[in-house]
Amino acid sequence: MVARYVVSPGGGRRAHPDITSALRAAARGRAALIEIAPGHYEESLTVRGEVRLVAVDGPGSVVVSRLRGTVLETAGSVHVEGLVLTGRDTEADTVACLAGALTLDHVEVRTPGGAGTHARPNTHVTLRDSVLLHGRTLFTASAGLIERCRFTDAADNAVAVIEGARVAVRGSRIEGSRIHGVRVCDARAEVTGCELTGTGNSALMADTRAELTVADCAISAVHAEGVMFVEQSRGSVDRTRVTDAQHGIGAASGANPVVRGCTLTDCRDSGINVQTSARGTFEGCHIVRAGNIAVFSAHGGAPEVRDCHISGGNVGVAVTESARGRFTGIRVEGLTNSALRVWNGSGGVFTDVRVDRCTLGLDTKGDGGTTADLTDAVFRDVETAVTALGESRVTLRKAVVERGGVGFFAGEEAQLLLHDCEVRTVSIGGAAASGKAKLFARNLTVTGSEGAGLSGSESGYLDVADSAFTGCATAGAAFADRSAGRLVDCSVDGPEGPAVLHNGRVELVGLRTSLPVVRKTIRTEEQNPTIINHHHGPVITGPVINSQFAWGNDNVTQNQTTEDGPAA
């Protein structure tokens, strides 16, 4: 049987003048119900046993405050309903559960700083339909449940789960925390159906081998990451929206989260950010208008990204600084820069990629350890579909380019390998190598280029076999400067123009064409014209090559003959 006690500030018949006197009367081993009349009670409450404290006129009608020390300290099975608990001591907990279980229902906890509510080791604290102002709610090696609560302007973390604690946060709002909304450190937490906004650091943080599970949350206007996993932490993020964060979802220092079905919008830097030996699996995410990079892997990061949609923004996927990543089912559209980027000793593997209306499709740059492998890709309306620079190495299989400027380009000392690739309707060229780059192609098809289907310049080298060039306005293939290579079993078709513009350094084997091959031998340094100054007649010592002489003439007509015949 429950013993009932009444508290009224004015006292009265069978009423206690303060809550403390009612608690002393209830300390007889029986379960107690203490009903508190409206008023402001300046006292510190120490509750032991099975006790229920209730504001009889509803939430907010009873205020309990204390200038120094803890306002409410419990040990046992304690239920508090409708009270306002106000602490003024920044060095003490406003509410402390020392042992047993504590439930705060429709309670308001006001704290100037420090811990507003502290669940000590081996306790269980439930917060339901409550408001917590300024202080943090701390779970240390304890258990807890938070439902439909509001945390406002915490001077620290709104909720901290540490040292092996286990806490579920559901249907709550966390706003204006100076550091994190929820921090999980060497502990486990589940955050479901919550709204977090205006945090000074990451809205949700998992560190030091923590396990964080997030589902159906909305995160906005945060100064760092929406959700961050570090220090070998694990967990999952499902169906969560992040808007206006520095980074949408991040992983670093060995963390390995699983992220599914999330939407990351207007992130100021990156949507997904994986660094410093972190991994992570990201599935079915949509990244909209990332300020810098939608998906970023750097400094040893190694994410696996599947079925991701990227729209708007600057760069789509960037893998750099000795990072790597695997990307499958990626859709990228409407970017002002590269859809895919692999730089500086990194490696990217891409499968089933679609890129529309971006400046660049794939660009690579770096040393010989910089590699990109792309299979089953379509690039539409891009200025250049693939650009390989530095000493990077790129392999493309079943890549299709439709509309745009250039299909495939290798420059500097890069290597570009093409297998079963196709370029259609480009304004500049199909495939090209420049600098000291090398391009190898097997079963390459170029159709409808307004420039050359295939071209080499400077000292580029091109080895192309079993390929076809159709309707290329300038030439099927054009070789300039010191570029070289071979065309083996290739065909060139079209209504006009040369099949090959040949500089004498290209081996043609089994070329099938009805169009002419135009050969123009380049001049080497030894073949440069010799210039001779003369006054009365030439005095020549040594060999003279390709030179013309005239003297004593009023009119001179010069004709030069090439291997293809005379030219005026």
PDB file of all heavy atoms in Angstrom, residues 519-542:
ATOM      1  N   ARG A 519      50.406  12.374 -95.585  1.00  0.00           N
ATOM      2  CA  ARG A 519      51.644  12.272 -94.807  1.00  0.00           C
ATOM      3  C   ARG A 519      52.443  13.549 -94.944  1.00  0.00           C
ATOM      4  O   ARG A 519      52.691  14.034 -96.051  1.00  0.00           O
ATOM      5  CB  ARG A 519      52.467  11.078 -95.297  1.00  0.00           C
ATOM      6  CG  ARG A 519      53.788  10.939 -94.556  1.00  0.00           C
ATOM      7  CD  ARG A 519      54.450   9.616 -94.865  1.00  0.00           C
ATOM      8  NE  ARG A 519      55.746   9.507 -94.239  1.00  0.00           N
ATOM      9  CZ  ARG A 519      56.476   8.400 -94.193  1.00  0.00           C
ATOM     10  NH1 ARG A 519      55.991   7.292 -94.751  1.00  0.00           N
ATOM     11  NH2 ARG A 519      57.652   8.370 -93.614  1.00  0.00           N
ATOM     12  N   LYS A 520      52.860  14.064 -93.798  1.00  0.00           N
ATOM     13  CA  LYS A 520      53.706  15.246 -93.777  1.00  0.00           C
ATOM     14  C   LYS A 520      54.860  14.976 -92.827  1.00  0.00           C
ATOM     15  O   LYS A 520      54.665  14.861 -91.622  1.00  0.00           O
ATOM     16  CB  LYS A 520      52.924  16.477 -93.322  1.00  0.00           C
ATOM     17  CG  LYS A 520      53.754  17.752 -93.340  1.00  0.00           C
ATOM     18  CD  LYS A 520      52.916  18.964 -92.962  1.00  0.00           C
ATOM     19  CE  LYS A 520      53.759  20.220 -93.009  1.00  0.00           C
ATOM     20  NZ  LYS A 520      52.978  21.428 -92.638  1.00  0.00           N
ATOM     21  N   THR A 521      56.075  14.864 -93.398  1.00  0.00           N
ATOM     22  CA  THR A 521      57.237  14.539 -92.577  1.00  0.00           C
ATOM     23  C   THR A 521      57.649  15.754 -91.770  1.00  0.00           C
ATOM     24  O   THR A 521      57.802  16.856 -92.309  1.00  0.00           O
ATOM     25  CB  THR A 521      58.403  14.089 -93.460  1.00  0.00           C
ATOM     26  OG1 THR A 521      57.966  12.995 -94.256  1.00  0.00           O
ATOM     27  CG2 THR A 521      59.595  13.665 -92.604  1.00  0.00           C
ATOM     28  N   ILE A 522      57.850  15.554 -90.471  1.00  0.00           N
ATOM     29  CA  ILE A 522      58.254  16.682 -89.635  1.00  0.00           C
ATOM     30  C   ILE A 522      59.726  16.965 -89.855  1.00  0.00           C
ATOM     31  O   ILE A 522      60.497  16.131 -90.307  1.00  0.00           O
ATOM     32  CB  ILE A 522      57.996  16.392 -88.148  1.00  0.00           C
ATOM     33  CG1 ILE A 522      58.899  15.246 -87.669  1.00  0.00           C
ATOM     34  CG2 ILE A 522      56.556  16.070 -87.883  1.00  0.00           C
ATOM     35  CD1 ILE A 522      58.881  15.078 -86.168  1.00  0.00           C
ATOM     36  N   ARG A 523      60.120  18.159 -89.513  1.00  0.00           N
ATOM     37  CA  ARG A 523      61.520  18.537 -89.615  1.00  0.00           C
ATOM     38  C   ARG A 523      62.223  18.279 -88.293  1.00  0.00           C
ATOM     39  O   ARG A 523      61.801  18.764 -87.262  1.00  0.00           O
ATOM     40  CB  ARG A 523      61.641  20.018 -89.951  1.00  0.00           C
ATOM     41  CG  ARG A 523      61.138  20.360 -91.357  1.00  0.00           C
ATOM     42  CD  ARG A 523      61.158  21.851 -91.564  1.00  0.00           C
ATOM     43  NE  ARG A 523      60.845  22.203 -92.935  1.00  0.00           N
ATOM     44  CZ  ARG A 523      60.737  23.458 -93.367  1.00  0.00           C
ATOM     45  NH1 ARG A 523      60.885  24.459 -92.521  1.00  0.00           N
ATOM     46  NH2 ARG A 523      60.484  23.703 -94.637  1.00  0.00           N
ATOM     47  N   THR A 524      63.296  17.522 -88.357  1.00  0.00           N
ATOM     48  CA  THR A 524      64.111  17.338 -87.165  1.00  0.00           C
ATOM     49  C   THR A 524      65.090  18.474 -87.049  1.00  0.00           C
ATOM     50  O   THR A 524      65.214  19.309 -87.949  1.00  0.00           O
ATOM     51  CB  THR A 524      64.865  16.008 -87.251  1.00  0.00           C
ATOM     52  OG1 THR A 524      65.786  16.087 -88.338  1.00  0.00           O
ATOM     53  CG2 THR A 524      63.907  14.848 -87.460  1.00  0.00           C
ATOM     54  N   GLU A 525      65.844  18.503 -85.972  1.00  0.00           N
ATOM     55  CA  GLU A 525      66.820  19.576 -85.801  1.00  0.00           C
ATOM     56  C   GLU A 525      67.860  19.524 -86.912  1.00  0.00           C
ATOM     57  O   GLU A 525      68.333  20.557 -87.391  1.00  0.00           O
ATOM     58  CB  GLU A 525      67.494  19.453 -84.431  1.00  0.00           C
ATOM     59  CG  GLU A 525      66.555  19.742 -83.271  1.00  0.00           C
ATOM     60  CD  GLU A 525      67.270  19.626 -81.952  1.00  0.00           C
ATOM     61  OE1 GLU A 525      68.478  19.343 -81.956  1.00  0.00           O
ATOM     62  OE2 GLU A 525      66.610  19.823 -80.909  1.00  0.00           O
ATOM     63  N   GLU A 526      68.241  18.287 -87.371  1.00  0.00           N
ATOM     64  CA  GLU A 526      69.235  18.167 -88.430  1.00  0.00           C
ATOM     65  C   GLU A 526      68.686  18.605 -89.775  1.00  0.00           C
ATOM     66  O   GLU A 526      69.431  18.903 -90.701  1.00  0.00           O
ATOM     67  CB  GLU A 526      69.702  16.710 -88.531  1.00  0.00           C
ATOM     68  CG  GLU A 526      70.488  16.203 -87.324  1.00  0.00           C
ATOM     69  CD  GLU A 526      69.586  15.870 -86.158  1.00  0.00           C
ATOM     70  OE1 GLU A 526      68.358  15.815 -86.365  1.00  0.00           O
ATOM     71  OE2 GLU A 526      70.098  15.658 -85.038  1.00  0.00           O
ATOM     72  N   GLN A 527      67.356  18.665 -89.917  1.00  0.00           N
ATOM     73  CA  GLN A 527      66.752  19.004 -91.199  1.00  0.00           C
ATOM     74  C   GLN A 527      66.336  20.470 -91.274  1.00  0.00           C
ATOM     75  O   GLN A 527      65.762  20.876 -92.263  1.00  0.00           O
ATOM     76  CB  GLN A 527      65.529  18.117 -91.444  1.00  0.00           C
ATOM     77  CG  GLN A 527      65.893  16.666 -91.689  1.00  0.00           C
ATOM     78  CD  GLN A 527      64.655  15.811 -91.812  1.00  0.00           C
ATOM     79  OE1 GLN A 527      63.697  16.010 -91.082  1.00  0.00           O
ATOM     80  NE2 GLN A 527      64.685  14.856 -92.723  1.00  0.00           N
ATOM     81  N   ASN A 528      66.585  21.243 -90.238  1.00  0.00           N
ATOM     82  CA  ASN A 528      66.193  22.644 -90.277  1.00  0.00           C
ATOM     83  C   ASN A 528      66.939  23.360 -91.396  1.00  0.00           C
ATOM     84  O   ASN A 528      68.133  23.101 -91.651  1.00  0.00           O
ATOM     85  CB  ASN A 528      66.509  23.319 -88.946  1.00  0.00           C
ATOM     86  CG  ASN A 528      65.546  22.864 -87.863  1.00  0.00           C
ATOM     87  OD1 ASN A 528      64.457  22.394 -88.170  1.00  0.00           O
ATOM     88  ND2 ASN A 528      65.980  22.980 -86.612  1.00  0.00           N
ATOM     89  N   PRO A 529      66.286  24.296 -92.100  1.00  0.00           N
ATOM     90  CA  PRO A 529      66.949  24.994 -93.209  1.00  0.00           C
ATOM     91  C   PRO A 529      68.203  25.728 -92.748  1.00  0.00           C
ATOM     92  O   PRO A 529      68.240  26.296 -91.651  1.00  0.00           O
ATOM     93  CB  PRO A 529      65.883  25.966 -93.696  1.00  0.00           C
ATOM     94  CG  PRO A 529      64.601  25.395 -93.216  1.00  0.00           C
ATOM     95  CD  PRO A 529      64.917  24.712 -91.937  1.00  0.00           C
ATOM     96  N   THR A 530      69.258  25.674 -93.586  1.00  0.00           N
ATOM     97  CA  THR A 530      70.488  26.404 -93.304  1.00  0.00           C
ATOM     98  C   THR A 530      70.372  27.804 -93.879  1.00  0.00           C
ATOM     99  O   THR A 530      70.026  27.990 -95.042  1.00  0.00           O
ATOM    100  CB  THR A 530      71.685  25.685 -93.934  1.00  0.00           C
ATOM    101  OG1 THR A 530      71.716  24.355 -93.420  1.00  0.00           O
ATOM    102  CG2 THR A 530      72.982  26.406 -93.613  1.00  0.00           C
ATOM    103  N   ILE A 531      70.652  28.787 -93.081  1.00  0.00           N
ATOM    104  CA  ILE A 531      70.578  30.181 -93.519  1.00  0.00           C
ATOM    105  C   ILE A 531      71.995  30.649 -93.827  1.00  0.00           C
ATOM    106  O   ILE A 531      72.899  30.553 -92.981  1.00  0.00           O
ATOM    107  CB  ILE A 531      69.938  31.067 -92.441  1.00  0.00           C
ATOM    108  CG1 ILE A 531      68.506  30.573 -92.162  1.00  0.00           C
ATOM    109  CG2 ILE A 531      69.936  32.535 -92.860  1.00  0.00           C
ATOM    110  CD1 ILE A 531      67.848  31.295 -91.016  1.00  0.00           C
ATOM    111  N   ILE A 532      72.213  31.171 -95.019  1.00  0.00           N
ATOM    112  CA  ILE A 532      73.551  31.589 -95.453  1.00  0.00           C
ATOM    113  C   ILE A 532      73.496  33.059 -95.816  1.00  0.00           C
ATOM    114  O   ILE A 532      72.685  33.486 -96.644  1.00  0.00           O
ATOM    115  CB  ILE A 532      74.019  30.777 -96.671  1.00  0.00           C
ATOM    116  CG1 ILE A 532      74.053  29.285 -96.291  1.00  0.00           C
ATOM    117  CG2 ILE A 532      75.364  31.260 -97.168  1.00  0.00           C
ATOM    118  CD1 ILE A 532      74.330  28.399 -97.467  1.00  0.00           C
ATOM    119  N   ASN A 533      74.373  33.851 -95.226  1.00  0.00           N
ATOM    120  CA  ASN A 533      74.528  35.252 -95.597  1.00  0.00           C
ATOM    121  C   ASN A 533      75.580  35.341 -96.720  1.00  0.00           C
ATOM    122  O   ASN A 533      76.670  34.768 -96.609  1.00  0.00           O
ATOM    123  CB  ASN A 533      74.997  36.077 -94.401  1.00  0.00           C
ATOM    124  CG  ASN A 533      73.953  36.086 -93.295  1.00  0.00           C
ATOM    125  OD1 ASN A 533      72.770  36.212 -93.571  1.00  0.00           O
ATOM    126  ND2 ASN A 533      74.403  35.929 -92.047  1.00  0.00           N
ATOM    127  N   HIS A 534      75.275  36.067 -97.796  1.00  0.00           N
ATOM    128  CA  HIS A 534      76.226  36.169 -98.912  1.00  0.00           C
ATOM    129  C   HIS A 534      76.223  37.605 -99.423  1.00  0.00           C
ATOM    130  O   HIS A 534      75.241  38.345 -99.276  1.00  0.00           O
ATOM    131  CB  HIS A 534      75.846  35.210-100.043  1.00  0.00           C
ATOM    132  CG  HIS A 534      74.488  35.494-100.611  1.00  0.00           C
ATOM    133  ND1 HIS A 534      74.292  36.371-101.652  1.00  0.00           N
ATOM    134  CD2 HIS A 534      73.273  35.004-100.265  1.00  0.00           C
ATOM    135  CE1 HIS A 534      72.989  36.421-101.924  1.00  0.00           C
ATOM    136  NE2 HIS A 534      72.362  35.601-101.099  1.00  0.00           N
ATOM    137  N   HIS A 535      77.374  37.964-100.026  1.00  0.00           N
ATOM    138  CA  HIS A 535      77.498  39.304-100.593  1.00  0.00           C
ATOM    139  C   HIS A 535      77.694  39.228-102.108  1.00  0.00           C
ATOM    140  O   HIS A 535      76.947  39.832-102.876  1.00  0.00           O
ATOM    141  CB  HIS A 535      78.674  40.045 -99.944  1.00  0.00           C
ATOM    142  CG  HIS A 535      78.473  40.220 -98.455  1.00  0.00           C
ATOM    143  ND1 HIS A 535      77.656  41.190 -97.934  1.00  0.00           N
ATOM    144  CD2 HIS A 535      78.974  39.512 -97.395  1.00  0.00           C
ATOM    145  CE1 HIS A 535      77.669  41.123 -96.594  1.00  0.00           C
ATOM    146  NE2 HIS A 535      78.480  40.097 -96.260  1.00  0.00           N
ATOM    147  N   HIS A 536      78.703  38.481-102.563  1.00  0.00           N
ATOM    148  CA  HIS A 536      78.947  38.380-103.997  1.00  0.00           C
ATOM    149  C   HIS A 536      78.684  36.976-104.511  1.00  0.00           C
ATOM    150  O   HIS A 536      78.662  36.750-105.702  1.00  0.00           O
ATOM    151  CB  HIS A 536      80.402  38.787-104.314  1.00  0.00           C
ATOM    152  CG  HIS A 536      80.734  40.176-103.852  1.00  0.00           C
ATOM    153  ND1 HIS A 536      80.233  41.312-104.458  1.00  0.00           N
ATOM    154  CD2 HIS A 536      81.491  40.586-102.804  1.00  0.00           C
ATOM    155  CE1 HIS A 536      80.677  42.394-103.813  1.00  0.00           C
ATOM    156  NE2 HIS A 536      81.457  41.974-102.806  1.00  0.00           N
ATOM    157  N   GLY A 537      78.469  36.030-103.648  1.00  0.00           N
ATOM    158  CA  GLY A 537      78.235  34.653-104.058  1.00  0.00           C
ATOM    159  C   GLY A 537      78.368  33.755-102.846  1.00  0.00           C
ATOM    160  O   GLY A 537      79.017  34.126-101.859  1.00  0.00           O
ATOM    161  N   PRO A 538      77.796  32.620-102.883  1.00  0.00           N
ATOM    162  CA  PRO A 538      77.801  31.754-101.700  1.00  0.00           C
ATOM    163  C   PRO A 538      79.162  31.117-101.455  1.00  0.00           C
ATOM    164  O   PRO A 538      79.843  30.727-102.399  1.00  0.00           O
ATOM    165  CB  PRO A 538      76.754  30.693-102.026  1.00  0.00           C
ATOM    166  CG  PRO A 538      76.770  30.629-103.522  1.00  0.00           C
ATOM    167  CD  PRO A 538      77.053  32.015-104.003  1.00  0.00           C
ATOM    168  N   VAL A 539      79.519  31.051-100.186  1.00  0.00           N
ATOM    169  CA  VAL A 539      80.666  30.268 -99.751  1.00  0.00           C
ATOM    170  C   VAL A 539      80.126  29.258 -98.758  1.00  0.00           C
ATOM    171  O   VAL A 539      79.682  29.632 -97.672  1.00  0.00           O
ATOM    172  CB  VAL A 539      81.744  31.153 -99.090  1.00  0.00           C
ATOM    173  CG1 VAL A 539      82.901  30.283 -98.612  1.00  0.00           C
ATOM    174  CG2 VAL A 539      82.234  32.209-100.072  1.00  0.00           C
ATOM    175  N   ILE A 540      80.122  27.989 -99.131  1.00  0.00           N
ATOM    176  CA  ILE A 540      79.440  26.962 -98.356  1.00  0.00           C
ATOM    177  C   ILE A 540      80.459  25.947 -97.868  1.00  0.00           C
ATOM    178  O   ILE A 540      81.271  25.448 -98.654  1.00  0.00           O
ATOM    179  CB  ILE A 540      78.371  26.250 -99.205  1.00  0.00           C
ATOM    180  CG1 ILE A 540      77.368  27.283 -99.726  1.00  0.00           C
ATOM    181  CG2 ILE A 540      77.679  25.149 -98.399  1.00  0.00           C
ATOM    182  CD1 ILE A 540      76.411  26.702-100.734  1.00  0.00           C
ATOM    183  N   THR A 541      80.421  25.674 -96.564  1.00  0.00           N
ATOM    184  CA  THR A 541      81.237  24.602 -96.008  1.00  0.00           C
ATOM    185  C   THR A 541      80.303  23.665 -95.249  1.00  0.00           C
ATOM    186  O   THR A 541      79.482  24.106 -94.463  1.00  0.00           O
ATOM    187  CB  THR A 541      82.322  25.148 -95.059  1.00  0.00           C
ATOM    188  OG1 THR A 541      81.698  25.834 -93.999  1.00  0.00           O
ATOM    189  CG2 THR A 541      83.276  26.081 -95.806  1.00  0.00           C
ATOM    190  N   GLY A 542      80.405  22.423 -95.487  1.00  0.00           N
ATOM    191  CA  GLY A 542      79.537  21.453 -94.829  1.00  0.00           C
ATOM    192  C   GLY A 542      78.276  21.225 -95.626  1.00  0.00           C
ATOM    193  O   GLY A 542      77.986  21.935 -96.604  1.00  0.00           O
TER     194      GLY A 542
END
